[in-house]
Amino acid sequence: MKMFIRYLRQNLTEIILFAVFALIFMFVFFLYNVNTEAVIYAAFLCFVILTVVFFVRFNKFLRRHKQREHILENILIMTEELPEPATSAEYDYIRMIKKLSSEYKRKISVYQQERSESIDYYSTWIHQIKTPISVMTMILQSEDTEEHRELLAELFRIEQYAEMALFYIRLDSVSSDFVFKVYSLDDIIRNAVRKYAPQFIRKKLSLQYSGTQITVLTDEKWLLFIIEQILSNAVKYTEKGGVTITVSPDKLLCIADTGIGISSEDLPRIFEKGFTGYNGRADKKSTGIGLYLCKKAADKLSHRITAESVPGKGSAFSIDLQSAPLKTE
């Protein structure tokens, strides 16, 4: 019905003109005392012809509309398959669309090239900056003093920020190097734990993890990044107690700490980009990027990440690692 009304509006001028012409002829016939039956018969024939033409054109209008709807649903790949123009106005519109499409593709190509160059530059810079960090780490490890331990902790944070920047630029890249395989979850967790072990020792925090035999379908590098970010926050905001890592039989990974917790008003927004919350503002060191990247990476891996927290008692982050069974023929 909506399309019929649109068609009527589109041809409203022609319909009005036909009605006006019909009235003119009827008036002229009346003035010349033409036989009424002849006038009615002629009017009936005109009406029949008009109705046939009207519905034939309406049917053609519907077909062209469906064709345009199909192209609209696949506009990015069907720009060159636009319908043949029926009028000079449609011909002009199609020319404009093709011109805009050509310009859009050119700009996208330039943007992708510039973005690729930027990613290559920053990736190279981040990898290069890791070399002096490693050298400084080796120098500081040569002597075990309180000052050196503090400097090592700060160097570790610098390296983490550099890695976060690398993951940040890679995550939104169209060429993100996801490699989905079945991995041992225990190996991934232990790699993250080994990396943060010095930080746990420095702050005298406990870590409880009994191991697991579960395997998961995921990308090892990105899941490791998510776990490391959660552990990083746990160490940062925990002064006493420690962290407990558990894995349930239904592949729910939970990382719980006994830190300062997250306020109830901040909890719904912790995965938003740039959101630091009360703890971040008080600490003045939070960037609001870590958990945002965790959520984006988890979404790309089809893992669901959630958080629960009680202020003053700690926080618990859960990652649902279940995956639908894949059938092969």
Side-chain angles (χ1 to χ4, degrees):
M1 181 57 71
K2 290 183 179 179
M3 294 305 302
F4 185 73
I5 294 174
R6 280 181 56 187
Y7 180 72
L8 285 177
R9 289 177 178 173
Q10 180 176 313
N11 295 276
L12 186 60
T13 303
E14 289 83 353
I15 295 172
I16 293 174
L17 283 175
F18 174 82
V20 171
F21 293 157
L23 289 174
I24 291 173
F25 273 94
M26 290 176 65
F27 181 70
V28 172
F29 288 161
F30 173 77
L31 290 178
Y32 283 90
N33 295 319
V34 178
N35 190 336
T36 305
E37 290 184 2
V39 173
I40 294 174
Y41 182 69
F44 176 74
L45 289 177
C46 291
F47 177 77
V48 170
I49 294 173
L50 175 67
T51 303
V52 172
V53 172
F54 181 85
F55 280 101
V56 168
R57 292 184 62 186
F58 177 66
N59 187 49
K60 185 178 180 181
F61 172 81
L62 281 180
R63 289 200 308 269
R64 290 178 66 83
H65 172 72
K66 290 179 180 178
Q67 185 181 7
R68 289 192 295 267
E69 285 288 321
H70 176 65
I71 294 175
L72 185 61
E73 292 174 357
N74 305 275
I75 190 65
L76 295 179
I77 59 175
M78 296 185 64
T79 309
E80 302 301 325
E81 299 182 20
L82 295 173
E84 289 296 322
T87 64
S88 59
E90 286 187 3
Y91 176 76
D92 292 336
Y93 285 130
I94 288 176
R95 286 183 59 200
M96 286 187 280
I97 291 172
K98 290 184 176 181
K99 181 71 174 179
L100 288 172
S101 174
S102 176
E103 185 65 15
Y104 168 78
K105 290 178 180 179
R106 186 188 68 80
K107 288 185 178 295
I108 285 293
S109 177
V110 172
Y111 166 76
Q112 289 177 342
Q113 182 178 353
E114 291 177 350
R115 178 171 174 77
S116 177
E117 292 174 356
S118 296
I119 290 175
D120 290 342
Y121 170 77
Y122 287 114
S123 298
T124 302
W125 183 88
I126 291 169
H127 285 299
Q128 288 177 336
I129 203 67
K130 286 184 178 182
T131 301
I133 291 175
S134 299
V135 173
M136 286 186 286
T137 300
M138 292 177 61
I139 294 172
L140 291 172
Q141 286 176 339
S142 63
E143 187 176 347
D144 187 18
T145 64
E146 184 63 28
E147 182 181 20
H148 281 205
R149 285 194 293 269
E150 290 298 322
L151 289 173
L152 281 171
E154 294 304 316
L155 272 178
F156 180 80
R157 290 179 61 188
I158 292 173
E159 186 176 13
Q160 288 305 104
Y161 288 142
E163 288 187 1
M164 187 186 297
L166 184 61
F167 276 88
Y168 182 85
I169 61 176
R170 283 180 173 175
L171 190 59
D172 286 328
S173 172
V174 293
S175 59
S176 293
D177 50 345
F178 290 102
V179 179
F180 288 93
K181 289 171 54 180
V182 175
Y183 293 96
S184 167
L185 182 57
D186 186 70
D187 291 342
I188 298 175
I189 294 175
R190 291 189 185 279
N191 283 338
V193 169
R194 278 193 292 269
K195 184 173 183 177
Y196 279 87
Q199 307 305 312
F200 279 92
I201 295 172
R202 186 178 68 86
K203 296 190 70 173
K204 298 179 181 178
L205 300 175
S206 65
L207 175 65
Q208 298 181 27
Y209 172 62
S210 57
T212 179
Q213 300 298 318
I214 288 177
T215 57
V216 293
L217 177 63
T218 187
D219 178 277
E220 181 181 31
K221 181 179 65 177
W222 286 97
L223 180 57
L224 178 62
F225 170 78
I226 295 172
I227 296 174
E228 287 179 354
Q229 287 301 308
I230 296 175
L231 286 178
S232 174
N233 284 348
V235 172
K236 183 189 298 184
Y237 296 112
T238 303
E239 296 301 326
K240 61 180 181 179
V243 175
T244 302
I245 302 176
T246 58
V247 182
S248 67
D250 56 350
K251 299 185 180 181
L252 185 66
L253 169 62
C254 181
I255 303 175
D257 62 59
T258 58
I260 60 177
I262 305 168
S263 63
S264 57
E265 59 268 24
D266 287 344
L267 194 58
R269 301 185 58 193
I270 59 174
F271 295 112
E272 293 181 10
K273 183 178 181 180
F275 182 75
T276 57
Y278 175 79
N279 294 338
R281 290 189 294 271
D283 182 66
K284 299 185 187 301
K285 296 177 182 178
S286 177
T287 60
I289 297 296
L291 290 179
Y292 163 76
L293 291 177
C294 287
K295 181 67 168 62
K296 288 203 68 175
D299 289 343
K300 288 182 178 290
L301 297 174
S302 296
H303 299 330
R304 183 169 176 266
I305 181 170
T306 56
E308 298 177 352
S309 184
V310 177
K313 293 187 177 180
S315 305
F317 286 82
S318 300
I319 308 172
D320 188 350
L321 299 171
Q322 291 189 86
S323 58
L326 300 177
K327 295 182 179 181
T328 57
E329 296 182 357

Short mmCIF file of all heavy atoms in Angstrom, two decimals, residues 233-286:
data_model
loop_
_atom_site.label_atom_id
_atom_site.label_comp_id
_atom_site.label_asym_id
_atom_site.label_seq_id
_atom_site.Cartn_x
_atom_site.Cartn_y
_atom_site.Cartn_z
N ASN A 233 45.92 -4.89 36.14
CA ASN A 233 45.03 -4.09 36.99
C ASN A 233 44.95 -4.67 38.39
O ASN A 233 44.87 -3.92 39.38
CB ASN A 233 43.63 -4.03 36.37
CG ASN A 233 43.57 -3.08 35.18
OD1 ASN A 233 44.50 -2.31 34.95
ND2 ASN A 233 42.49 -3.13 34.44
N ALA A 234 44.96 -5.99 38.49
CA ALA A 234 44.88 -6.63 39.80
C ALA A 234 46.09 -6.25 40.66
O ALA A 234 45.96 -5.93 41.84
CB ALA A 234 44.79 -8.14 39.65
N VAL A 235 47.27 -6.31 40.05
CA VAL A 235 48.49 -5.95 40.79
C VAL A 235 48.48 -4.46 41.15
O VAL A 235 48.84 -4.06 42.26
CB VAL A 235 49.74 -6.28 39.96
CG1 VAL A 235 51.00 -5.74 40.63
CG2 VAL A 235 49.86 -7.78 39.76
N LYS A 236 48.04 -3.62 40.21
CA LYS A 236 48.05 -2.17 40.42
C LYS A 236 47.15 -1.75 41.59
O LYS A 236 47.52 -0.89 42.39
CB LYS A 236 47.61 -1.46 39.14
CG LYS A 236 47.66 0.06 39.24
CD LYS A 236 47.00 0.72 38.03
CE LYS A 236 47.71 0.38 36.75
NZ LYS A 236 47.11 1.10 35.59
N TYR A 237 45.97 -2.37 41.68
CA TYR A 237 44.99 -1.92 42.66
C TYR A 237 44.84 -2.84 43.87
O TYR A 237 43.88 -2.75 44.61
CB TYR A 237 43.62 -1.75 41.98
CG TYR A 237 43.61 -0.67 40.92
CD1 TYR A 237 43.47 -0.98 39.58
CD2 TYR A 237 43.77 0.67 41.28
CE1 TYR A 237 43.47 0.01 38.60
CE2 TYR A 237 43.78 1.67 40.32
CZ TYR A 237 43.63 1.34 38.98
OH TYR A 237 43.64 2.32 38.03
N THR A 238 45.81 -3.74 44.06
CA THR A 238 45.79 -4.62 45.23
C THR A 238 47.02 -4.37 46.08
O THR A 238 48.15 -4.48 45.59
CB THR A 238 45.73 -6.10 44.80
OG1 THR A 238 44.59 -6.32 43.97
CG2 THR A 238 45.66 -7.02 46.01
N GLU A 239 46.83 -4.04 47.34
CA GLU A 239 47.94 -3.76 48.26
C GLU A 239 48.19 -4.90 49.22
O GLU A 239 49.30 -5.07 49.72
CB GLU A 239 47.66 -2.47 49.03
CG GLU A 239 47.58 -1.22 48.17
CD GLU A 239 48.85 -0.97 47.38
OE1 GLU A 239 49.95 -1.30 47.90
OE2 GLU A 239 48.77 -0.47 46.24
N LYS A 240 47.18 -5.69 49.50
CA LYS A 240 47.36 -6.84 50.39
C LYS A 240 46.43 -7.96 49.94
O LYS A 240 45.41 -7.72 49.31
CB LYS A 240 47.10 -6.46 51.84
CG LYS A 240 45.71 -5.95 52.12
CD LYS A 240 45.56 -5.60 53.60
CE LYS A 240 44.14 -5.10 53.90
NZ LYS A 240 43.96 -4.77 55.32
N GLY A 241 46.80 -9.17 50.32
CA GLY A 241 46.02 -10.32 49.86
C GLY A 241 46.63 -10.88 48.60
O GLY A 241 47.83 -11.20 48.57
N GLY A 242 45.85 -11.02 47.56
CA GLY A 242 46.40 -11.55 46.32
C GLY A 242 45.35 -11.76 45.26
O GLY A 242 44.28 -11.19 45.29
N VAL A 243 45.70 -12.65 44.32
CA VAL A 243 44.86 -12.92 43.15
C VAL A 243 44.61 -14.42 43.07
O VAL A 243 45.50 -15.22 43.32
CB VAL A 243 45.54 -12.43 41.86
CG1 VAL A 243 44.73 -12.81 40.63
CG2 VAL A 243 45.76 -10.92 41.90
N THR A 244 43.38 -14.77 42.72
CA THR A 244 43.00 -16.18 42.55
C THR A 244 42.49 -16.39 41.14
O THR A 244 41.61 -15.67 40.66
CB THR A 244 41.90 -16.58 43.55
OG1 THR A 244 42.37 -16.35 44.88
CG2 THR A 244 41.55 -18.05 43.39
N ILE A 245 43.07 -17.39 40.46
CA ILE A 245 42.65 -17.72 39.09
C ILE A 245 42.00 -19.09 39.11
O ILE A 245 42.60 -20.07 39.57
CB ILE A 245 43.85 -17.72 38.12
CG1 ILE A 245 44.56 -16.36 38.13
CG2 ILE A 245 43.39 -18.06 36.71
CD1 ILE A 245 45.81 -16.32 37.28
N THR A 246 40.77 -19.17 38.63
CA THR A 246 40.05 -20.44 38.57
C THR A 246 39.46 -20.65 37.18
O THR A 246 39.18 -19.68 36.46
CB THR A 246 38.90 -20.48 39.61
OG1 THR A 246 38.00 -19.39 39.36
CG2 THR A 246 39.45 -20.38 41.02
N VAL A 247 39.28 -21.91 36.82
CA VAL A 247 38.65 -22.27 35.54
C VAL A 247 37.61 -23.34 35.83
O VAL A 247 37.92 -24.40 36.35
CB VAL A 247 39.68 -22.81 34.53
CG1 VAL A 247 38.99 -23.13 33.21
CG2 VAL A 247 40.81 -21.82 34.32
N SER A 248 36.37 -23.04 35.50
CA SER A 248 35.27 -23.98 35.74
C SER A 248 35.21 -25.01 34.62
O SER A 248 35.76 -24.79 33.53
CB SER A 248 33.94 -23.23 35.85
OG SER A 248 33.60 -22.66 34.60
N PRO A 249 34.54 -26.14 34.84
CA PRO A 249 34.42 -27.17 33.79
C PRO A 249 33.76 -26.66 32.51
O PRO A 249 34.02 -27.19 31.43
CB PRO A 249 33.57 -28.26 34.46
CG PRO A 249 33.80 -28.07 35.92
CD PRO A 249 33.95 -26.60 36.12
N ASP A 250 32.90 -25.64 32.63
CA ASP A 250 32.25 -25.10 31.43
C ASP A 250 33.04 -23.95 30.82
O ASP A 250 32.49 -23.07 30.15
CB ASP A 250 30.82 -24.66 31.74
CG ASP A 250 30.75 -23.65 32.87
OD1 ASP A 250 31.80 -23.44 33.53
OD2 ASP A 250 29.67 -23.07 33.09
N LYS A 251 34.36 -23.94 31.06
CA LYS A 251 35.31 -23.02 30.43
C LYS A 251 35.06 -21.56 30.79
O LYS A 251 35.15 -20.67 29.94
CB LYS A 251 35.30 -23.19 28.91
CG LYS A 251 35.70 -24.58 28.44
CD LYS A 251 35.80 -24.67 26.94
CE LYS A 251 36.22 -26.06 26.50
NZ LYS A 251 36.35 -26.16 25.03
N LEU A 252 34.77 -21.30 32.05
CA LEU A 252 34.64 -19.93 32.53
C LEU A 252 35.89 -19.60 33.34
O LEU A 252 36.10 -20.12 34.43
CB LEU A 252 33.38 -19.77 33.40
CG LEU A 252 33.09 -18.35 33.87
CD1 LEU A 252 32.75 -17.45 32.67
CD2 LEU A 252 31.96 -18.33 34.89
N LEU A 253 36.73 -18.73 32.77
CA LEU A 253 37.96 -18.30 33.42
C LEU A 253 37.65 -17.10 34.31
O LEU A 253 37.10 -16.10 33.84
CB LEU A 253 39.00 -17.94 32.36
CG LEU A 253 40.27 -17.22 32.84
CD1 LEU A 253 41.06 -18.10 33.81
CD2 LEU A 253 41.14 -16.81 31.66
N CYS A 254 38.03 -17.20 35.57
CA CYS A 254 37.76 -16.12 36.52
C CYS A 254 39.06 -15.69 37.19
O CYS A 254 39.82 -16.52 37.69
CB CYS A 254 36.74 -16.58 37.58
SG CYS A 254 36.34 -15.29 38.79
N ILE A 255 39.32 -14.38 37.18
CA ILE A 255 40.49 -13.80 37.83
C ILE A 255 39.98 -12.84 38.89
O ILE A 255 39.43 -11.78 38.58
CB ILE A 255 41.39 -13.07 36.82
CG1 ILE A 255 41.82 -14.03 35.69
CG2 ILE A 255 42.61 -12.48 37.52
CD1 ILE A 255 42.61 -13.36 34.59
N ALA A 256 40.15 -13.21 40.16
CA ALA A 256 39.62 -12.41 41.27
C ALA A 256 40.77 -11.88 42.12
O ALA A 256 41.77 -12.57 42.34
CB ALA A 256 38.68 -13.26 42.13
N ASP A 257 40.63 -10.64 42.58
CA ASP A 257 41.65 -10.04 43.44
C ASP A 257 41.02 -9.53 44.73
O ASP A 257 39.79 -9.50 44.87
CB ASP A 257 42.37 -8.90 42.71
CG ASP A 257 41.43 -7.76 42.32
OD1 ASP A 257 40.80 -7.18 43.23
OD2 ASP A 257 41.33 -7.44 41.12
N THR A 258 41.86 -9.14 45.66
CA THR A 258 41.39 -8.59 46.94
C THR A 258 41.76 -7.11 47.04
O THR A 258 42.15 -6.63 48.09
CB THR A 258 42.02 -9.37 48.11
OG1 THR A 258 43.45 -9.30 48.01
CG2 THR A 258 41.59 -10.82 48.10
N GLY A 259 41.66 -6.43 45.91
CA GLY A 259 42.06 -5.03 45.85
C GLY A 259 40.99 -4.07 46.34
O GLY A 259 40.06 -4.45 47.07
N ILE A 260 41.10 -2.83 45.87
CA ILE A 260 40.21 -1.78 46.37
C ILE A 260 38.82 -1.85 45.76
O ILE A 260 37.89 -1.20 46.23
CB ILE A 260 40.81 -0.38 46.08
CG1 ILE A 260 41.01 -0.18 44.57
CG2 ILE A 260 42.13 -0.21 46.83
CD1 ILE A 260 41.54 1.19 44.21
N GLY A 261 38.64 -2.65 44.72
CA GLY A 261 37.33 -2.82 44.11
C GLY A 261 36.94 -1.66 43.20
O GLY A 261 37.69 -0.69 43.03
N ILE A 262 35.75 -1.78 42.64
CA ILE A 262 35.22 -0.78 41.72
C ILE A 262 33.86 -0.32 42.24
O ILE A 262 33.03 -1.15 42.62
CB ILE A 262 35.06 -1.36 40.30
CG1 ILE A 262 36.39 -1.94 39.80
CG2 ILE A 262 34.55 -0.31 39.32
CD1 ILE A 262 36.26 -2.79 38.55
N SER A 263 33.65 0.97 42.26
CA SER A 263 32.38 1.49 42.77
C SER A 263 31.22 1.04 41.87
O SER A 263 31.40 0.84 40.67
CB SER A 263 32.41 3.01 42.87
OG SER A 263 32.58 3.58 41.59
N SER A 264 30.04 0.89 42.46
CA SER A 264 28.88 0.39 41.72
C SER A 264 28.50 1.30 40.56
O SER A 264 28.04 0.83 39.52
CB SER A 264 27.69 0.24 42.68
OG SER A 264 27.40 1.47 43.31
N GLU A 265 28.70 2.63 40.71
CA GLU A 265 28.34 3.54 39.61
C GLU A 265 29.35 3.49 38.47
O GLU A 265 29.04 3.84 37.33
CB GLU A 265 28.21 4.98 40.13
CG GLU A 265 29.45 5.55 40.77
CD GLU A 265 29.48 5.34 42.28
OE1 GLU A 265 28.83 4.40 42.75
OE2 GLU A 265 30.16 6.13 42.95
N ASP A 266 30.58 3.06 38.76
CA ASP A 266 31.60 2.96 37.71
C ASP A 266 31.57 1.63 36.98
O ASP A 266 31.98 1.54 35.81
CB ASP A 266 33.01 3.16 38.31
CG ASP A 266 33.27 4.60 38.71
OD1 ASP A 266 32.52 5.47 38.26
OD2 ASP A 266 34.23 4.84 39.47
N LEU A 267 31.09 0.58 37.64
CA LEU A 267 31.17 -0.78 37.10
C LEU A 267 30.56 -0.93 35.71
O LEU A 267 31.18 -1.58 34.85
CB LEU A 267 30.50 -1.76 38.08
CG LEU A 267 30.78 -3.26 37.84
CD1 LEU A 267 32.28 -3.54 37.88
CD2 LEU A 267 30.05 -4.10 38.87
N PRO A 268 29.39 -0.36 35.41
CA PRO A 268 28.82 -0.54 34.06
C PRO A 268 29.62 0.12 32.95
O PRO A 268 29.41 -0.19 31.77
CB PRO A 268 27.43 0.12 34.18
CG PRO A 268 27.14 0.19 35.63
CD PRO A 268 28.47 0.38 36.29
N ARG A 269 30.58 1.00 33.29
CA ARG A 269 31.28 1.77 32.26
C ARG A 269 32.77 1.43 32.15
O ARG A 269 33.49 2.08 31.40
CB ARG A 269 31.14 3.26 32.53
CG ARG A 269 29.71 3.77 32.56
CD ARG A 269 29.68 5.28 32.72
NE ARG A 269 30.40 5.95 31.64
CZ ARG A 269 30.75 7.23 31.65
NH1 ARG A 269 30.45 7.98 32.71
NH2 ARG A 269 31.39 7.76 30.64
N ILE A 270 33.22 0.42 32.87
CA ILE A 270 34.67 0.17 32.91
C ILE A 270 35.25 -0.27 31.57
O ILE A 270 36.46 -0.13 31.35
CB ILE A 270 35.02 -0.90 33.98
CG1 ILE A 270 34.29 -2.21 33.68
CG2 ILE A 270 34.70 -0.37 35.37
CD1 ILE A 270 34.70 -3.34 34.61
N PHE A 271 34.41 -0.77 30.66
CA PHE A 271 34.92 -1.21 29.36
C PHE A 271 34.82 -0.12 28.29
O PHE A 271 35.11 -0.37 27.13
CB PHE A 271 34.18 -2.47 28.89
CG PHE A 271 34.41 -3.67 29.76
CD1 PHE A 271 33.38 -4.19 30.52
CD2 PHE A 271 35.66 -4.27 29.83
CE1 PHE A 271 33.58 -5.30 31.33
CE2 PHE A 271 35.88 -5.37 30.64
CZ PHE A 271 34.84 -5.89 31.39
N GLU A 272 34.39 1.07 28.70
CA GLU A 272 34.30 2.17 27.74
C GLU A 272 35.67 2.77 27.50
O GLU A 272 36.51 2.84 28.40
CB GLU A 272 33.35 3.26 28.26
CG GLU A 272 31.90 2.83 28.34
CD GLU A 272 31.00 3.94 28.84
OE1 GLU A 272 31.49 5.10 28.94
OE2 GLU A 272 29.82 3.67 29.14
N LYS A 273 35.88 3.24 26.28
CA LYS A 273 37.17 3.82 25.91
C LYS A 273 37.42 5.12 26.69
O LYS A 273 36.60 6.02 26.70
CB LYS A 273 37.19 4.11 24.41
CG LYS A 273 38.52 4.66 23.90
CD LYS A 273 38.46 4.88 22.41
CE LYS A 273 39.77 5.41 21.86
NZ LYS A 273 39.72 5.62 20.40
N GLY A 274 38.58 5.18 27.34
CA GLY A 274 38.99 6.38 28.06
C GLY A 274 38.36 6.55 29.44
O GLY A 274 38.68 7.52 30.14
N PHE A 275 37.48 5.62 29.85
CA PHE A 275 36.83 5.78 31.15
C PHE A 275 37.78 5.27 32.24
O PHE A 275 38.25 4.14 32.22
CB PHE A 275 35.53 4.99 31.20
CG PHE A 275 34.79 5.13 32.51
CD1 PHE A 275 34.10 6.30 32.80
CD2 PHE A 275 34.81 4.11 33.44
CE1 PHE A 275 33.42 6.44 34.01
CE2 PHE A 275 34.13 4.24 34.64
CZ PHE A 275 33.44 5.41 34.93
N THR A 276 38.07 6.14 33.22
CA THR A 276 38.99 5.77 34.30
C THR A 276 38.28 5.55 35.63
O THR A 276 38.76 4.82 36.48
CB THR A 276 40.05 6.87 34.49
OG1 THR A 276 39.40 8.12 34.76
CG2 THR A 276 40.91 7.01 33.24
N GLY A 277 37.13 6.17 35.81
CA GLY A 277 36.38 5.97 37.05
C GLY A 277 37.05 6.64 38.24
O GLY A 277 38.08 7.31 38.14
N TYR A 278 36.47 6.41 39.41
CA TYR A 278 36.97 7.03 40.63
C TYR A 278 38.38 6.55 40.95
O TYR A 278 39.27 7.35 41.28
CB TYR A 278 36.03 6.70 41.80
CG TYR A 278 36.54 7.20 43.14
CD1 TYR A 278 36.41 8.54 43.50
CD2 TYR A 278 37.19 6.34 44.02
CE1 TYR A 278 36.89 9.00 44.72
CE2 TYR A 278 37.68 6.79 45.23
CZ TYR A 278 37.52 8.12 45.58
OH TYR A 278 38.01 8.57 46.78
N ASN A 279 38.63 5.25 40.81
CA ASN A 279 39.96 4.71 41.13
C ASN A 279 41.02 5.27 40.21
O ASN A 279 42.13 5.59 40.63
CB ASN A 279 39.95 3.18 41.04
CG ASN A 279 39.06 2.54 42.09
OD1 ASN A 279 38.78 3.15 43.11
ND2 ASN A 279 38.61 1.32 41.83
N GLY A 280 40.69 5.38 38.93
CA GLY A 280 41.65 5.90 37.97
C GLY A 280 41.98 7.36 38.22
O GLY A 280 43.13 7.79 38.10
N ARG A 281 40.96 8.13 38.58
CA ARG A 281 41.21 9.55 38.87
C ARG A 281 42.02 9.72 40.15
O ARG A 281 42.86 10.61 40.25
CB ARG A 281 39.87 10.29 38.99
CG ARG A 281 39.14 10.42 37.67
CD ARG A 281 37.94 11.33 37.79
NE ARG A 281 36.91 10.78 38.66
CZ ARG A 281 35.93 9.98 38.26
NH1 ARG A 281 35.86 9.64 36.98
NH2 ARG A 281 35.03 9.54 39.10
N ALA A 282 41.77 8.86 41.13
CA ALA A 282 42.52 8.94 42.38
C ALA A 282 43.96 8.50 42.18
O ALA A 282 44.89 9.08 42.73
CB ALA A 282 41.85 8.08 43.45
N ASP A 283 44.14 7.46 41.34
CA ASP A 283 45.48 6.93 41.09
C ASP A 283 46.28 7.85 40.16
O ASP A 283 47.51 7.89 40.24
CB ASP A 283 45.37 5.53 40.46
CG ASP A 283 46.70 4.89 40.21
OD1 ASP A 283 47.39 4.59 41.19
OD2 ASP A 283 47.05 4.69 39.03
N LYS A 284 45.58 8.56 39.27
CA LYS A 284 46.19 9.49 38.31
C LYS A 284 47.14 8.80 37.33
O LYS A 284 47.97 9.44 36.70
CB LYS A 284 46.92 10.64 39.02
CG LYS A 284 46.03 11.50 39.90
CD LYS A 284 46.78 12.67 40.47
CE LYS A 284 45.96 13.45 41.47
NZ LYS A 284 44.72 13.97 40.94
N LYS A 285 47.08 7.45 37.24
CA LYS A 285 47.97 6.73 36.33
C LYS A 285 47.17 5.89 35.33
O LYS A 285 47.75 5.27 34.45
CB LYS A 285 48.92 5.82 37.12
CG LYS A 285 49.88 6.58 38.03
CD LYS A 285 50.73 5.63 38.82
CE LYS A 285 51.67 6.37 39.78
NZ LYS A 285 52.48 5.43 40.60
N SER A 286 45.87 5.86 35.49
CA SER A 286 45.05 5.04 34.61
C SER A 286 44.78 5.76 33.29
O SER A 286 44.54 6.97 33.27
CB SER A 286 43.72 4.70 35.29
OG SER A 286 42.89 3.97 34.43
#
